[in-house]
Amino acid sequence: MKKFCTLVWNVSLAVTLAACGGAGGAGGSSTLSTPSSPPSSQTPAAAETSITITNGNTVYNSATGDLNGDGLDDVVVSGWRYDSSTAYIWVLIQNSDGTLSDKTSTLLPVNTTHGSQHVFIADFDNDGKNDIFVPGFLDGSVMAPTTSMMFWNNGATFSKQDFTEQVMAHGACLDDINSDGKMDILAAGSNGVGVLYVNNGNRSFTADTTTLINTWFATCGVIHQANGDINILMGGETARSGYRSAIAVFNSNLQFQNYIGVNTSSGEDLINSAVFDANGDGRQDFVMALSNVYPALPSRRVLLNTGTNTFTDGQTLDTLGSEYFTLVTSLVDGTPAVFLPETGIGSRLYYVSNGTMVAYKPTSFGEMTGSNRLLMPTIYKNAQQRKIYMLQLLNDGNNSTFKTHEM
């Protein structure tokens, strides 16, 4: 199964401090070395990539993954514009030296979408080439449903497919939910009706609007239990389940069984989640980030999977706030890693070491933006050089420019 990752950054919350997002993604699961001693205070290498864009989005999101089959992480940037049904998308291809080149006009038939809160890179048609999926989302005066888009990877170029349904995918995630070897899509819908796009395997999907009923979620994640049960974490619901956020338990036939409540403070929303084995016990867990509006409980913590359909609060990662809507996973030194975004030095990349999660080069996140305004951060890997690079989109008051630093 191909892995994926994605990151969202809200311009209205960005500050001039640095931040960065998670590495990894489909086709980019190379192992990176971790420091054997505490990170050095040495300033990272100077930025090498400089790509200026003249048309921008209000909110940006990104995904990393190998789009051209060379084993290097590439980056796709998308997002949405305030009260507009036209947003922009960019495809940045990584070079062997870790720099990025804007190949949007060469690879994509159009450089616009209808707007999205997420973007995903995965091989949806199982042809060995990673595709790009942009679930629909509009915001501004009001949030509104819009059309999702798939960009199918044909090798030298991509072709665009518009989905029939309009969704309001504030939350979305990918999973082979029916275990048939094809990647499916979960998207928050409008009017409390989520959409499960079941992958038919021939570049088409069947929209199931009966499984994810009564769910408007800001984040989602899926864990498959050993007995065949399926656990779907849906964060930031409007309490239709009786909980502010909850895990919906389904059997292997996707028949709903019950809800498991997630421990949150009153008014505190679960807005980020990631799925991987956070303590090395062989079971998939949820890593969660909650909004810091009501920080009565730790805002970044692990929800441990302790057995079939049973969970317990695990490690507290930190108590820094989180206001961004996607976590991303990768590998660091052969173990799972997850990035938790926040303004400036509050961003952290955690990896698993000896059954616990520890921060990877935490001081690196404070050395990126200088005096410019940070619009979007992410990180990507270069397997050939065994290095991690931080990508940022900066606004200097006139234009926006992509910049890179070595982490």
Side-chain angles (χ1 to χ4, degrees):
M1 183 186 302
K2 298 283 186 180
K3 296 183 179 179
F4 64 91
C5 65
T6 179
L7 173 70
V8 165
W9 189 263
N10 190 321
V11 174
S12 65
L13 297 172
V15 295
T16 57
L17 295 177
C20 87
S29 57
S30 58
T31 299
L32 295 163
S33 297
T34 55
S36 56
S37 58
S40 169
S41 60
Q42 181 179 357
T43 300
E48 298 178 72
T49 297
S50 183
I51 301 171
T52 300
I53 61 174
T54 56
N55 290 316
N57 300 325
T58 304
V59 170
Y60 291 85
N61 50 64
S62 67
T64 63
D66 184 6
L67 293 171
N68 58 356
D70 63 358
L72 301 177
D73 279 353
D74 307 306
V75 183
V76 176
V77 178
S78 187
W80 54 264
R81 301 182 77 195
Y82 187 89
D83 281 345
S84 173
S85 59
T86 300
Y88 297 94
I89 184 170
W90 297 268
V91 177
L92 310 178
I93 298 297
Q94 186 180 172
N95 305 306
S96 60
D97 62 356
T99 59
L100 299 171
S101 296
D102 184 2
K103 298 295 184 181
T104 308
S105 61
T106 302
L107 295 175
L108 299 188
V110 297
N111 72 329
T112 57
T113 71
H114 302 298
S116 68
Q117 185 79 341
H118 304 270
V119 58
F120 297 103
I121 295 175
D123 183 1
F124 290 97
D125 56 359
N126 288 350
D127 66 350
K129 299 184 290 290
N130 283 318
D131 311 297
I132 303 167
F133 177 65
V134 182
F137 179 79
L138 290 177
D139 204 351
S141 302
V142 295
M143 288 187 289
T146 189
T147 304
S148 302
M149 289 182 175
M150 181 72 77
F151 292 90
W152 295 105
N153 190 340
N154 300 314
T157 61
F158 288 74
S159 56
K160 180 175 72 72
Q161 175 190 348
D162 288 328
F163 280 43
T164 302
E165 304 78 19
Q166 291 191 332
V167 298
M168 195 162 61
H170 199 280
C173 57
L174 307 183
D175 182 74
D176 179 10
I177 200 162
N178 56 5
S179 300
D180 65 352
K182 298 184 290 290
M183 188 65 76
D184 307 305
I185 302 166
L186 291 76
S190 57
N191 299 319
V193 179
V195 182
L196 170 60
Y197 288 104
V198 179
N199 191 338
N200 299 319
N202 56 357
R203 291 195 171 186
S204 71
F205 295 82
T206 298
D208 172 0
T209 57
T210 63
T211 299
L212 301 179
I213 59 173
N214 295 331
T215 53
W216 190 94
F217 46 85
T219 184
C220 62
V222 182
I223 288 177
H224 294 257
Q225 297 288 356
N227 71 340
D229 284 355
I230 301 169
N231 301 158
I232 304 178
L233 172 66
M234 289 176 281
E237 292 187 81
T238 54
R240 294 185 178 94
S241 64
Y243 305 97
R244 194 167 186 89
S245 298
I247 299 167
V249 179
F250 296 84
N251 65 18
S252 58
N253 296 318
L254 281 177
Q255 296 171 326
F256 174 75
Q257 305 298 300
N258 60 279
Y259 283 109
I260 302 171
V262 174
N263 187 22
T264 62
S265 301
S266 175
E268 187 177 41
D269 282 330
L270 172 59
I271 59 173
N272 296 334
S273 63
V275 176
F276 62 83
D277 183 1
N279 60 354
D281 66 355
R283 288 190 288 260
Q284 297 291 291
D285 309 299
F286 293 114
V287 173
M288 307 186 303
L290 295 96
S291 64
N292 62 346
V293 179
Y294 301 95
L297 293 171
S299 57
R300 297 174 176 180
R301 63 182 188 270
V302 177
L303 188 62
L304 286 176
N305 177 4
T306 56
T308 303
N309 305 328
T310 59
F311 294 84
T312 187
D313 286 331
Q315 178 184 355
T316 294
L317 300 177
D318 58 56
T319 57
L320 298 168
S322 291
E323 290 293 344
Y324 309 105
F325 290 93
T326 304
L327 300 188
V328 290
T329 59
S330 182
L331 293 177
V332 172
D333 203 19
T335 65
V338 62
F339 170 73
L340 296 98
E342 182 50 45
T343 52
I345 59 175
S347 296
R348 292 290 183 272
L349 176 64
Y350 286 94
Y351 67 100
V352 179
S353 177
N354 298 320
T356 190
M357 297 181 69
V358 296
Y360 176 74
K361 293 188 176 181
T363 59
S364 296
F365 299 110
E367 301 170 354
M368 293 178 65
T369 67
S371 61
N372 294 325
R373 187 181 186 191
L374 179 66
L375 301 183
M376 183 219 71
T378 190
I379 67 173
Y380 60 95
K381 297 178 298 184
N382 186 304
Q384 296 175 1
Q385 298 185 41
R386 298 174 62 83
K387 292 181 178 180
I388 301 176
Y389 291 91
M390 301 186 289
L391 172 67
Q392 56 192 326
L393 178 59
L394 300 176
N395 188 344
D396 63 5
N398 297 311
N399 295 305
S400 299
T401 305
F402 291 104
K403 298 284 188 180
T404 57
H405 289 71
E406 180 184 339
M407 187 173 176

